[in-house]
Amino acid sequence: MTRFFDILFSGLAMLVLFPFMLPIVIGLKLTGEHDIFYCQERIGKGGKPFKVIKFATMLRDSPNLPGGLITSDNDPRILPMGNFLRRTKINELPQLLNIFVGQMSVIGYRPFARKHYDLYSEEVKAKINTIVPGLSGIGSVVFRNEEEILHKAADREYVHDKIITPYKGQLECWYVEHRNAATYFKLIILTVIVVIKPSSQVWLKWFKDLPEIPDNLKEYI
């Protein structure tokens, strides 16, 4: 059922948003390295890689520069329009095409680069591999300020790999187990809410059966 809505929403969104994306396309072409899109290999359904499409927000060689796959506030690798596009999540809009062709869904787990995907336990991988990744999802809603968390952390890789990722894996498994039309639409609404108001914690009220937040994460979310 959600596949029908994925096609409907992504198709309509591409038609409606195309005129508004033109200024972004022009701005990216005239600034930075003049790239409009950035395609990165991510892991999708069945553990198979695919190319996720985004508006370019960072230098082409960013993964090989200091910082690697983890981005922080005021990261020197971010392009002139990058902070705005990332903060508003507009950089994710080209993934509407990934959704339309069936590589992604509007709601699911966020597709990771291989390095970060491999941080998950085999149990988590087996569960999330049964569905396609999403433009947003419960992990994205709960960790809507992940870049801010990592920016404040003394050891970014430790906080990401040992604190955030294990709990995010629990959240993504929760979604797989509770995947239905109601959860799908609730998470779409929650995504809009946290983009407009990142400090909102309404997700705690809407989903009271989420995995318990570990003590070492409570100071962050």
Side-chain angles (χ1 to χ4, degrees):
M1 176 183 248
T2 56
R3 178 62 188 145
F4 167 79
F5 289 112
D6 283 340
I7 295 172
L8 176 65
F9 292 158
S10 60
L12 287 174
M14 285 190 286
L15 287 173
V16 172
L17 295 175
F18 180 74
F20 300 98
M21 289 194 280
L22 277 178
I24 296 169
V25 169
I26 295 170
L28 289 172
K29 194 64 179 176
L30 296 177
T31 60
E33 295 178 308
H34 313 296
D35 291 331
I36 298 171
F37 300 108
Y38 173 65
C39 295
Q40 186 181 44
E41 185 175 283
R42 296 293 178 92
I43 306 303
K45 185 177 180 179
K48 297 179 180 178
F50 73 103
K51 296 289 186 180
V52 69
I53 311 169
K54 296 185 178 187
F55 280 127
T57 61
M58 301 185 73
L59 297 173
R60 290 182 202 128
D61 200 35
S62 290
N64 300 316
L65 297 174
L69 295 173
I70 297 178
T71 309
S72 61
D73 287 347
N74 302 315
D75 195 307
R77 299 170 297 168
I78 295 179
L79 299 172
M81 294 177 61
N83 277 321
F84 167 73
L85 295 176
R86 295 171 73 88
R87 185 172 62 252
T88 58
K89 306 299 183 184
I90 290 174
N91 66 312
E92 309 285 358
L93 288 181
Q95 288 167 59
L96 290 168
L97 182 58
N98 290 119
I99 295 171
F100 192 77
V101 300
Q103 295 171 317
M104 293 177 61
S105 173
V106 174
I107 297 297
Y109 63 94
R110 282 301 295 158
F112 287 111
R114 172 68 67 178
K115 178 181 177 181
H116 290 164
Y117 170 82
D118 286 341
L119 293 174
Y120 281 145
S121 68
E122 292 304 315
E123 181 182 359
V124 171
K125 289 180 189 176
K127 190 157 287 188
I128 65 174
N129 282 349
T130 61
I131 66 172
V132 294
L135 181 65
S136 183
I138 186 62
S140 300
V141 168
V142 173
F143 290 101
R144 70 268 175 217
N145 61 339
E146 184 172 332
E147 287 189 11
E148 181 182 335
I149 293 172
L150 295 175
H151 177 65
K152 294 177 181 178
D155 187 336
R156 292 190 301 168
E157 286 200 13
Y158 176 81
V159 172
H160 177 272
D161 296 357
K162 304 298 183 181
I163 298 179
I164 292 178
T165 298
Y167 185 60
K168 190 179 285 187
Q170 293 181 48
L171 291 173
E172 307 301 13
C173 288
W174 175 91
Y175 174 70
V176 174
E177 294 168 358
H178 295 77
R179 185 169 170 254
N180 55 44
T183 304
Y184 176 90
F185 284 105
K186 282 183 179 180
L187 283 168
I188 290 176
I189 295 169
L190 285 172
T191 298
V192 174
I193 291 173
V194 298
V195 167
I196 296 172
K197 187 179 180 182
S199 62
S200 174
Q201 292 192 317
V202 69
W203 50 273
L204 286 171
K205 297 179 180 179
W206 286 20
F207 299 124
K208 296 182 179 180
D209 60 342
L210 288 175
E212 185 176 354
I213 302 172
D215 290 338
N216 59 1
L217 258 178
K218 289 179 179 177
E219 63 179 292
Y220 298 115
I221 58 178

Short mmCIF file of all heavy atoms in Angstrom, two decimals, residues 17-66:
data_model
loop_
_atom_site.label_atom_id
_atom_site.label_comp_id
_atom_site.label_asym_id
_atom_site.label_seq_id
_atom_site.Cartn_x
_atom_site.Cartn_y
_atom_site.Cartn_z
N LEU A 17 7.37 20.96 -7.14
CA LEU A 17 8.58 21.61 -6.64
C LEU A 17 9.58 21.99 -7.72
O LEU A 17 10.52 22.74 -7.45
CB LEU A 17 9.28 20.69 -5.62
CG LEU A 17 8.51 20.41 -4.34
CD1 LEU A 17 9.27 19.39 -3.48
CD2 LEU A 17 8.31 21.70 -3.54
N PHE A 18 9.39 21.49 -8.94
CA PHE A 18 10.37 21.76 -10.00
C PHE A 18 10.65 23.26 -10.18
O PHE A 18 11.82 23.66 -10.23
CB PHE A 18 9.90 21.15 -11.32
CG PHE A 18 10.86 21.39 -12.45
CD1 PHE A 18 12.06 20.70 -12.52
CD2 PHE A 18 10.56 22.33 -13.43
CE1 PHE A 18 12.96 20.93 -13.56
CE2 PHE A 18 11.45 22.57 -14.48
CZ PHE A 18 12.65 21.87 -14.54
N PRO A 19 9.62 24.13 -10.26
CA PRO A 19 9.91 25.56 -10.43
C PRO A 19 10.70 26.15 -9.26
O PRO A 19 11.52 27.06 -9.46
CB PRO A 19 8.51 26.20 -10.51
CG PRO A 19 7.61 25.09 -10.92
CD PRO A 19 8.17 23.86 -10.26
N PHE A 20 10.47 25.62 -8.05
CA PHE A 20 11.17 26.15 -6.88
C PHE A 20 12.61 25.63 -6.79
O PHE A 20 13.45 26.23 -6.13
CB PHE A 20 10.40 25.76 -5.61
CG PHE A 20 8.99 26.29 -5.57
CD1 PHE A 20 7.92 25.49 -5.94
CD2 PHE A 20 8.74 27.60 -5.20
CE1 PHE A 20 6.62 25.97 -5.92
CE2 PHE A 20 7.44 28.10 -5.18
CZ PHE A 20 6.38 27.29 -5.54
N MET A 21 12.87 24.51 -7.46
CA MET A 21 14.22 23.95 -7.43
C MET A 21 15.13 24.58 -8.48
O MET A 21 16.35 24.48 -8.39
CB MET A 21 14.17 22.43 -7.61
CG MET A 21 13.62 21.69 -6.40
SD MET A 21 13.91 19.90 -6.44
CE MET A 21 12.60 19.37 -7.54
N LEU A 22 14.53 25.25 -9.47
CA LEU A 22 15.34 25.87 -10.52
C LEU A 22 16.35 26.89 -9.97
O LEU A 22 17.52 26.89 -10.39
CB LEU A 22 14.44 26.53 -11.57
CG LEU A 22 13.89 25.59 -12.66
CD1 LEU A 22 12.96 26.36 -13.60
CD2 LEU A 22 15.02 24.95 -13.45
N PRO A 23 15.93 27.80 -9.05
CA PRO A 23 16.91 28.74 -8.49
C PRO A 23 18.06 28.03 -7.76
O PRO A 23 19.20 28.50 -7.79
CB PRO A 23 16.08 29.58 -7.51
CG PRO A 23 14.68 29.46 -8.00
CD PRO A 23 14.57 28.07 -8.54
N ILE A 24 17.75 26.89 -7.13
CA ILE A 24 18.79 26.12 -6.45
C ILE A 24 19.77 25.55 -7.47
O ILE A 24 20.99 25.60 -7.28
CB ILE A 24 18.16 25.00 -5.61
CG1 ILE A 24 17.30 25.59 -4.50
CG2 ILE A 24 19.24 24.09 -5.02
CD1 ILE A 24 16.43 24.58 -3.79
N VAL A 25 19.23 25.01 -8.55
CA VAL A 25 20.06 24.45 -9.61
C VAL A 25 21.00 25.52 -10.17
O VAL A 25 22.20 25.31 -10.34
CB VAL A 25 19.19 23.86 -10.74
CG1 VAL A 25 20.03 23.51 -11.96
CG2 VAL A 25 18.44 22.64 -10.24
N ILE A 26 20.44 26.71 -10.43
CA ILE A 26 21.24 27.82 -10.98
C ILE A 26 22.30 28.26 -9.97
O ILE A 26 23.47 28.47 -10.33
CB ILE A 26 20.32 29.00 -11.37
CG1 ILE A 26 19.40 28.59 -12.51
CG2 ILE A 26 21.16 30.23 -11.75
CD1 ILE A 26 18.30 29.59 -12.81
N GLY A 27 21.89 28.37 -8.69
CA GLY A 27 22.82 28.80 -7.65
C GLY A 27 23.99 27.84 -7.50
O GLY A 27 25.15 28.25 -7.35
N LEU A 28 23.70 26.55 -7.52
CA LEU A 28 24.76 25.55 -7.39
C LEU A 28 25.68 25.56 -8.60
O LEU A 28 26.90 25.37 -8.47
CB LEU A 28 24.15 24.15 -7.21
CG LEU A 28 23.47 23.88 -5.87
CD1 LEU A 28 22.73 22.55 -5.90
CD2 LEU A 28 24.48 23.89 -4.74
N LYS A 29 25.11 25.81 -9.78
CA LYS A 29 25.92 25.84 -11.00
C LYS A 29 26.88 27.02 -11.01
O LYS A 29 27.97 26.94 -11.61
CB LYS A 29 25.00 25.90 -12.23
CG LYS A 29 25.71 25.59 -13.55
CD LYS A 29 26.24 24.17 -13.57
CE LYS A 29 26.93 23.84 -14.88
NZ LYS A 29 27.53 22.48 -14.87
N LEU A 30 26.49 28.09 -10.33
CA LEU A 30 27.31 29.31 -10.34
C LEU A 30 28.26 29.42 -9.16
O LEU A 30 29.05 30.36 -9.09
CB LEU A 30 26.39 30.54 -10.37
CG LEU A 30 25.50 30.70 -11.62
CD1 LEU A 30 24.60 31.90 -11.47
CD2 LEU A 30 26.37 30.82 -12.88
N THR A 31 28.19 28.49 -8.20
CA THR A 31 29.02 28.58 -7.01
C THR A 31 29.78 27.28 -6.77
O THR A 31 29.56 26.28 -7.46
CB THR A 31 28.17 28.89 -5.76
OG1 THR A 31 27.20 27.82 -5.57
CG2 THR A 31 27.43 30.21 -5.90
N GLY A 32 30.65 27.30 -5.78
CA GLY A 32 31.37 26.10 -5.38
C GLY A 32 32.13 25.48 -6.52
O GLY A 32 32.86 26.14 -7.27
N GLU A 33 31.96 24.18 -6.69
CA GLU A 33 32.62 23.44 -7.78
C GLU A 33 31.72 23.29 -8.99
O GLU A 33 31.99 22.50 -9.89
CB GLU A 33 33.07 22.07 -7.26
CG GLU A 33 34.13 22.16 -6.17
CD GLU A 33 34.54 20.79 -5.63
OE1 GLU A 33 33.62 20.02 -5.25
OE2 GLU A 33 35.73 20.50 -5.58
N HIS A 34 30.59 24.01 -8.99
CA HIS A 34 29.64 24.06 -10.11
C HIS A 34 28.89 22.75 -10.34
O HIS A 34 28.32 22.54 -11.41
CB HIS A 34 30.36 24.49 -11.40
CG HIS A 34 31.25 25.69 -11.22
ND1 HIS A 34 30.76 26.94 -10.88
CD2 HIS A 34 32.60 25.81 -11.30
CE1 HIS A 34 31.76 27.78 -10.77
NE2 HIS A 34 32.89 27.13 -11.00
N ASP A 35 28.90 21.87 -9.33
CA ASP A 35 28.12 20.63 -9.42
C ASP A 35 26.71 20.89 -8.92
O ASP A 35 26.51 21.62 -7.94
CB ASP A 35 28.76 19.53 -8.58
CG ASP A 35 30.08 19.06 -9.15
OD1 ASP A 35 30.26 19.14 -10.37
OD2 ASP A 35 30.94 18.62 -8.36
N ILE A 36 25.74 20.30 -9.57
CA ILE A 36 24.34 20.43 -9.13
C ILE A 36 23.95 19.26 -8.24
O ILE A 36 23.37 19.44 -7.17
CB ILE A 36 23.39 20.51 -10.35
CG1 ILE A 36 23.71 21.74 -11.18
CG2 ILE A 36 21.93 20.53 -9.88
CD1 ILE A 36 22.96 21.79 -12.51
N PHE A 37 24.29 18.06 -8.67
CA PHE A 37 23.91 16.87 -7.93
C PHE A 37 25.14 16.12 -7.41
O PHE A 37 26.24 16.24 -7.94
CB PHE A 37 23.08 15.92 -8.81
CG PHE A 37 21.82 16.52 -9.32
CD1 PHE A 37 21.69 16.87 -10.66
CD2 PHE A 37 20.75 16.77 -8.47
CE1 PHE A 37 20.52 17.43 -11.14
CE2 PHE A 37 19.58 17.32 -8.94
CZ PHE A 37 19.46 17.66 -10.28
N TYR A 38 24.90 15.39 -6.35
CA TYR A 38 25.94 14.54 -5.77
C TYR A 38 25.35 13.14 -5.64
O TYR A 38 24.31 12.96 -5.00
CB TYR A 38 26.35 15.08 -4.40
CG TYR A 38 27.29 14.18 -3.64
CD1 TYR A 38 28.58 13.93 -4.10
CD2 TYR A 38 26.89 13.59 -2.44
CE1 TYR A 38 29.45 13.12 -3.40
CE2 TYR A 38 27.76 12.78 -1.72
CZ TYR A 38 29.04 12.55 -2.21
OH TYR A 38 29.90 11.74 -1.52
N CYS A 39 25.97 12.17 -6.26
CA CYS A 39 25.49 10.79 -6.17
C CYS A 39 26.47 9.98 -5.33
O CYS A 39 27.67 9.98 -5.61
CB CYS A 39 25.38 10.17 -7.56
SG CYS A 39 24.13 10.94 -8.61
N GLN A 40 25.95 9.35 -4.31
CA GLN A 40 26.81 8.56 -3.42
C GLN A 40 26.25 7.15 -3.29
O GLN A 40 25.03 6.97 -3.19
CB GLN A 40 26.90 9.20 -2.04
CG GLN A 40 27.89 8.50 -1.11
CD GLN A 40 27.93 9.14 0.27
OE1 GLN A 40 26.89 9.46 0.85
NE2 GLN A 40 29.13 9.32 0.79
N GLU A 41 27.13 6.18 -3.26
CA GLU A 41 26.68 4.80 -3.09
C GLU A 41 26.19 4.59 -1.66
O GLU A 41 26.90 4.89 -0.71
CB GLU A 41 27.82 3.83 -3.41
CG GLU A 41 27.37 2.37 -3.36
CD GLU A 41 28.46 1.41 -3.81
OE1 GLU A 41 28.69 1.30 -5.03
OE2 GLU A 41 29.09 0.79 -2.92
N ARG A 42 25.00 4.08 -1.53
CA ARG A 42 24.42 3.74 -0.24
C ARG A 42 23.92 2.30 -0.29
O ARG A 42 23.76 1.73 -1.37
CB ARG A 42 23.26 4.69 0.10
CG ARG A 42 23.69 6.16 0.26
CD ARG A 42 24.57 6.36 1.47
NE ARG A 42 25.02 7.73 1.60
CZ ARG A 42 24.41 8.67 2.31
NH1 ARG A 42 23.26 8.39 2.92
NH2 ARG A 42 24.91 9.89 2.39
N ILE A 43 23.61 1.76 0.87
CA ILE A 43 23.13 0.39 0.96
C ILE A 43 21.60 0.38 1.06
O ILE A 43 21.02 1.06 1.90
CB ILE A 43 23.74 -0.34 2.17
CG1 ILE A 43 25.27 -0.25 2.10
CG2 ILE A 43 23.28 -1.80 2.19
CD1 ILE A 43 25.89 -0.80 0.83
N GLY A 44 20.97 -0.39 0.18
CA GLY A 44 19.52 -0.43 0.14
C GLY A 44 18.96 -1.79 0.51
O GLY A 44 19.60 -2.57 1.22
N LYS A 45 17.77 -2.08 0.03
CA LYS A 45 17.08 -3.32 0.36
C LYS A 45 17.93 -4.53 -0.01
O LYS A 45 18.57 -4.57 -1.06
CB LYS A 45 15.75 -3.38 -0.39
CG LYS A 45 14.89 -4.59 -0.01
CD LYS A 45 13.55 -4.55 -0.72
CE LYS A 45 12.69 -5.75 -0.32
NZ LYS A 45 11.37 -5.75 -0.99
N GLY A 46 17.95 -5.50 0.89
CA GLY A 46 18.73 -6.71 0.65
C GLY A 46 20.22 -6.52 0.82
O GLY A 46 21.00 -7.39 0.45
N GLY A 47 20.62 -5.35 1.35
CA GLY A 47 22.05 -5.08 1.51
C GLY A 47 22.74 -4.74 0.21
O GLY A 47 23.98 -4.75 0.14
N LYS A 48 21.96 -4.42 -0.83
CA LYS A 48 22.53 -4.12 -2.14
C LYS A 48 22.77 -2.62 -2.29
O LYS A 48 21.95 -1.80 -1.88
CB LYS A 48 21.59 -4.61 -3.24
CG LYS A 48 21.40 -6.12 -3.24
CD LYS A 48 20.44 -6.55 -4.33
CE LYS A 48 20.24 -8.07 -4.33
NZ LYS A 48 19.28 -8.51 -5.37
N PRO A 49 23.89 -2.24 -2.91
CA PRO A 49 24.21 -0.82 -3.08
C PRO A 49 23.39 -0.17 -4.19
O PRO A 49 22.97 -0.84 -5.15
CB PRO A 49 25.70 -0.84 -3.44
CG PRO A 49 25.92 -2.17 -4.07
CD PRO A 49 24.98 -3.12 -3.37
N PHE A 50 23.13 1.12 -4.05
CA PHE A 50 22.50 1.91 -5.10
C PHE A 50 23.00 3.34 -4.95
O PHE A 50 23.64 3.68 -3.96
CB PHE A 50 20.97 1.85 -4.99
CG PHE A 50 20.39 2.63 -3.85
CD1 PHE A 50 19.78 3.86 -4.05
CD2 PHE A 50 20.44 2.14 -2.54
CE1 PHE A 50 19.24 4.59 -2.99
CE2 PHE A 50 19.91 2.86 -1.47
CZ PHE A 50 19.31 4.08 -1.71
N LYS A 51 22.73 4.16 -5.94
CA LYS A 51 23.19 5.55 -5.92
C LYS A 51 22.08 6.46 -5.41
O LYS A 51 21.00 6.54 -6.01
CB LYS A 51 23.60 6.00 -7.33
CG LYS A 51 24.80 5.25 -7.90
CD LYS A 51 26.08 5.63 -7.18
CE LYS A 51 27.29 4.98 -7.87
NZ LYS A 51 28.56 5.32 -7.20
N VAL A 52 22.34 7.13 -4.30
CA VAL A 52 21.38 8.09 -3.77
C VAL A 52 21.72 9.46 -4.34
O VAL A 52 22.89 9.81 -4.49
CB VAL A 52 21.41 8.10 -2.22
CG1 VAL A 52 22.70 8.70 -1.70
CG2 VAL A 52 20.23 8.86 -1.66
N ILE A 53 20.68 10.22 -4.72
CA ILE A 53 20.88 11.52 -5.38
C ILE A 53 20.55 12.66 -4.41
O ILE A 53 19.50 12.66 -3.76
CB ILE A 53 19.96 11.65 -6.61
CG1 ILE A 53 20.08 10.41 -7.50
CG2 ILE A 53 20.30 12.91 -7.40
CD1 ILE A 53 19.03 10.35 -8.59
N LYS A 54 21.47 13.62 -4.31
CA LYS A 54 21.25 14.80 -3.48
C LYS A 54 21.73 16.04 -4.24
O LYS A 54 22.51 15.93 -5.19
CB LYS A 54 22.05 14.70 -2.18
CG LYS A 54 21.66 13.57 -1.25
CD LYS A 54 22.45 13.68 0.05
CE LYS A 54 22.06 12.59 1.03
NZ LYS A 54 22.70 12.79 2.35
N PHE A 55 21.27 17.20 -3.79
CA PHE A 55 21.89 18.43 -4.27
C PHE A 55 23.28 18.49 -3.65
O PHE A 55 23.48 18.14 -2.48
CB PHE A 55 21.08 19.66 -3.85
CG PHE A 55 19.89 19.93 -4.72
CD1 PHE A 55 18.63 20.09 -4.15
CD2 PHE A 55 20.02 20.04 -6.10
CE1 PHE A 55 17.52 20.34 -4.95
CE2 PHE A 55 18.91 20.29 -6.90
CZ PHE A 55 17.67 20.44 -6.33
N ALA A 56 24.26 18.95 -4.42
CA ALA A 56 25.63 19.02 -3.94
C ALA A 56 25.74 20.07 -2.83
O ALA A 56 25.33 21.22 -3.02
CB ALA A 56 26.57 19.39 -5.09
N THR A 57 26.25 19.66 -1.68
CA THR A 57 26.42 20.59 -0.57
C THR A 57 27.86 20.61 -0.05
O THR A 57 28.21 21.46 0.77
CB THR A 57 25.50 20.23 0.62
OG1 THR A 57 25.84 18.90 1.09
CG2 THR A 57 24.04 20.27 0.21
N MET A 58 28.68 19.67 -0.52
CA MET A 58 30.06 19.58 -0.04
C MET A 58 31.02 19.37 -1.21
O MET A 58 30.59 19.03 -2.32
CB MET A 58 30.19 18.42 0.96
CG MET A 58 29.28 18.56 2.17
SD MET A 58 29.55 17.28 3.40
CE MET A 58 31.12 17.79 4.09
N LEU A 59 32.29 19.57 -0.96
CA LEU A 59 33.31 19.35 -1.98
C LEU A 59 33.25 17.92 -2.50
O LEU A 59 32.92 17.00 -1.75
CB LEU A 59 34.70 19.64 -1.40
CG LEU A 59 34.96 21.08 -0.94
CD1 LEU A 59 36.31 21.16 -0.23
CD2 LEU A 59 34.92 22.05 -2.12
N ARG A 60 33.56 17.72 -3.76
CA ARG A 60 33.47 16.40 -4.38
C ARG A 60 34.26 15.34 -3.61
O ARG A 60 33.82 14.21 -3.48
CB ARG A 60 34.03 16.45 -5.81
CG ARG A 60 33.19 17.21 -6.79
CD ARG A 60 33.81 17.15 -8.17
NE ARG A 60 33.34 18.27 -8.98
CZ ARG A 60 34.14 19.10 -9.63
NH1 ARG A 60 35.43 18.95 -9.57
NH2 ARG A 60 33.62 20.09 -10.34
N ASP A 61 35.43 15.71 -3.13
CA ASP A 61 36.32 14.73 -2.50
C ASP A 61 36.14 14.68 -0.98
O ASP A 61 37.02 14.20 -0.27
CB ASP A 61 37.78 15.07 -2.84
CG ASP A 61 38.70 13.87 -2.67
OD1 ASP A 61 38.26 12.73 -2.94
OD2 ASP A 61 39.86 14.06 -2.23
N SER A 62 35.01 15.17 -0.48
CA SER A 62 34.77 15.26 0.96
C SER A 62 35.03 13.97 1.74
O SER A 62 35.64 14.00 2.81
CB SER A 62 33.35 15.74 1.24
OG SER A 62 33.21 17.08 0.87
N PRO A 63 34.58 12.80 1.23
CA PRO A 63 34.80 11.57 2.00
C PRO A 63 36.27 11.25 2.24
O PRO A 63 36.61 10.54 3.19
CB PRO A 63 34.14 10.49 1.13
CG PRO A 63 33.12 11.22 0.33
CD PRO A 63 33.76 12.55 0.04
N ASN A 64 37.14 11.79 1.39
CA ASN A 64 38.57 11.51 1.53
C ASN A 64 39.33 12.62 2.23
O ASN A 64 40.55 12.55 2.38
CB ASN A 64 39.18 11.27 0.13
CG ASN A 64 38.53 10.11 -0.59
OD1 ASN A 64 38.31 9.06 0.00
ND2 ASN A 64 38.20 10.29 -1.86
N LEU A 65 38.61 13.66 2.66
CA LEU A 65 39.23 14.77 3.37
C LEU A 65 39.01 14.60 4.88
O LEU A 65 38.18 13.79 5.30
CB LEU A 65 38.61 16.10 2.89
CG LEU A 65 38.84 16.44 1.41
CD1 LEU A 65 38.06 17.69 1.03
CD2 LEU A 65 40.32 16.63 1.13
N PRO A 66 39.75 15.36 5.72
CA PRO A 66 39.56 15.27 7.17
C PRO A 66 38.09 15.43 7.56
O PRO A 66 37.42 16.35 7.10
CB PRO A 66 40.41 16.43 7.70
CG PRO A 66 41.51 16.56 6.69
CD PRO A 66 40.85 16.29 5.36
#
